[in-house]
Amino acid sequence: MLKVGITGGIGSGKSTVSKIFELLGVPVYYADERAKDILVRDPELAAAVRQHFGPETYDAHGALNRKYLGNIVFNDKEKLALLNSLVHPATIRDSNLWASQQNTPYVLKEAALLFESESFHYLDKIIGVYAPQPLRILRVMKRDNVTREEVLARMHKQIDESIKMRLCDYVIRNDEQQLVIPQVLALHQQLLQLATAT
């Protein structure tokens, strides 16, 4: 089975593109959503997070105190790197297990930090979803009801978009100039052919 990653900067529309692939019958692993789940479900990971960030990280029922943890990591680069070093390997293990349980020619793993987390090493091909920065800023401001400065701060935590796209095997342009669905359909056919050829 072919394992394909799909990535792009914040506001690029990678989740929207992933939903189109899902409509075509392709299973999609949403790494960010699953990571939130794993932080609660994986006892080994939860223990490591408690050890490094304190017992207040989880409440008495085992639910993650997101606000508490967020306040720590989003104001401290080293603490964020530490959290990522705990979460990323657990997410990679989970996504590999998930992929092994699928029965399709190829699967997708949607993640903003495919390159930053080193998880691209476990994938056969990478799709990049590209949109120009001004458009991405507007989308995120509208979607998350945040300021331009807040969006830019988030963007600075990711690899530069032009570098990210050069690292990808395929690029889907989601710039409101080209239709996205025909690009996805064409790429879907390519990936099906590639999957059956291997």
Side-chain angles (χ1 to χ4, degrees), residues 108-122:
L108 281 180
K109 178 180 183 177
E110 187 259 30
L113 305 177
L114 273 185
F115 297 110
E116 296 89 334
S117 69
E118 301 287 315
S119 62
F120 72 97
H121 291 299
Y122 301 88

Side-chain angles (χ1 to χ4, degrees), residues 107-186:
V107 295
L108 281 180
K109 178 180 183 177
E110 187 259 30
L113 305 177
L114 273 185
F115 297 110
E116 296 89 334
S117 69
E118 301 287 315
S119 62
F120 72 97
H121 291 299
Y122 301 88
L123 301 164
D124 301 302
K125 296 287 177 188
I126 308 287
I127 302 166
V129 179
Y130 171 80
Q133 189 178 31
L135 180 57
R136 291 167 51 217
I137 291 169
L138 287 174
R139 283 176 182 164
V140 179
M141 284 172 66
K142 189 176 174 186
R143 182 190 75 194
D144 297 351
N145 196 24
V146 290
T147 65
R148 178 184 171 79
E149 289 67 34
E150 286 172 300
V151 179
L152 287 168
R154 289 191 211 172
M155 285 181 168
H156 291 310
K157 290 186 174 119
Q158 297 181 348
I159 290 178
D160 180 81
E161 194 72 352
S162 59
I163 295 169
K164 189 175 274 194
M165 292 304 115
R166 285 200 297 273
L167 294 170
C168 296
D169 299 291
Y170 313 98
V171 176
I172 290 176
R173 296 187 71 83
N174 185 22
D175 55 8
E176 298 184 2
Q177 303 297 311
Q178 299 176 52
L179 295 172
V180 171
I181 292 174
Q183 295 179 73
V184 173
L185 292 172

Side-chain angles (χ1 to χ4, degrees), residues 10-52:
I10 184 170
S12 62
K14 62 190 172 301
S15 297
T16 303
V17 171
S18 298
K19 299 285 183 205
I20 300 168
F21 276 103
E22 274 191 295
L23 290 171
L24 297 170
V26 181
V28 179
Y29 180 94
Y30 291 94
D32 290 350
E33 288 173 24
R34 293 287 286 233
K36 289 173 188 167
D37 182 47
I38 294 165
L39 273 161
V40 175
R41 203 169 29 88
D42 183 326
E44 193 180 314
L45 176 60
V49 171
R50 266 195 196 94
Q51 180 189 336
H52 290 286

Side-chain angles (χ1 to χ4, degrees), residues 1-6 18 22 25-31 34 37-38 41 90-104 106-110 123:
M1 178 195 292
L2 204 63
K3 292 183 193 168
V4 182
I6 184 162
S18 298
E22 274 191 295
V26 181
V28 179
Y29 180 94
Y30 291 94
R34 293 287 286 233
D37 182 47
I38 294 165
R41 203 169 29 88
T91 309
I92 289 167
R93 283 194 305 274
D94 185 64
S95 66
N96 288 338
L97 177 64
W98 171 87
S100 72
Q101 295 165 343
Q102 307 308 311
N103 190 23
T104 49
Y106 75 95
V107 295
L108 281 180
K109 178 180 183 177
E110 187 259 30
L123 301 164

Side-chain angles (χ1 to χ4, degrees), residues 64-77:
L64 183 66
N65 185 343
R66 292 187 197 291
K67 192 173 182 184
Y68 169 82
L69 188 58
N71 285 339
I72 294 172
V73 300
F74 290 120
N75 298 312
D76 186 327
K77 275 185 179 176

